[in-house]
């Protein structure tokens, strides 16, 4: 995954067909930084502070550039059944 100061390029979090990713938003005092799942259309998601989003780990996602402020989040990868 390519990291920059304000965005994440298109990537897969974990190549685990049964795994999930949980992203918890730690702040919301920024502009931009939307999550996008390109395989599912041109939709953008913004998580409010304290909110979370859960999605299958092997799908493509990206984070749009932050335009103002800094975005802080916590990503947790949940392993699938073996």
């Amino acid at each position: 995954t390519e990291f920059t100061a304000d965005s994440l390029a298109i990537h897969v979090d974990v190549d685990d067909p049964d795994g999930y990713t949980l992203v918890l938003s730690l702040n919301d005092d920024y502009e931009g930084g939307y999550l996008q799942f390109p395989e599912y259309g041109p939709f953008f998601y913004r998580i409010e502070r304290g909110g979370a989003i859960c999605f299958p780990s092997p799908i493509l996602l990206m984070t749009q550039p932050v335009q103002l402020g800094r975005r802080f989040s916590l990503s947790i990868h949940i392993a699938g059944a073996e």
Side-chain angles (χ1 to χ4, degrees), residues 1-13 63 73 75 77:
T1 302
E2 178 183 334
F3 293 92
T4 66
D6 61 358
S7 66
L8 281 174
I10 193 165
H11 67 282
V12 171
D13 274 346
T63 303
S73 62
S75 294
H77 303 289

Side-chain angles (χ1 to χ4, degrees), residues 29-63:
D29 55 345
Y30 61 91
E31 293 180 19
Y34 297 99
L35 290 176
Q36 184 179 16
F37 302 96
E39 297 173 291
Y40 295 97
F43 307 107
F44 297 92
Y45 301 90
R46 181 177 169 96
I47 310 166
E48 294 183 10
R49 182 175 55 93
I53 187 169
C54 187
F55 53 90
S57 294
I59 66 171
L60 293 174
L61 74 143
M62 62 189 296
T63 303

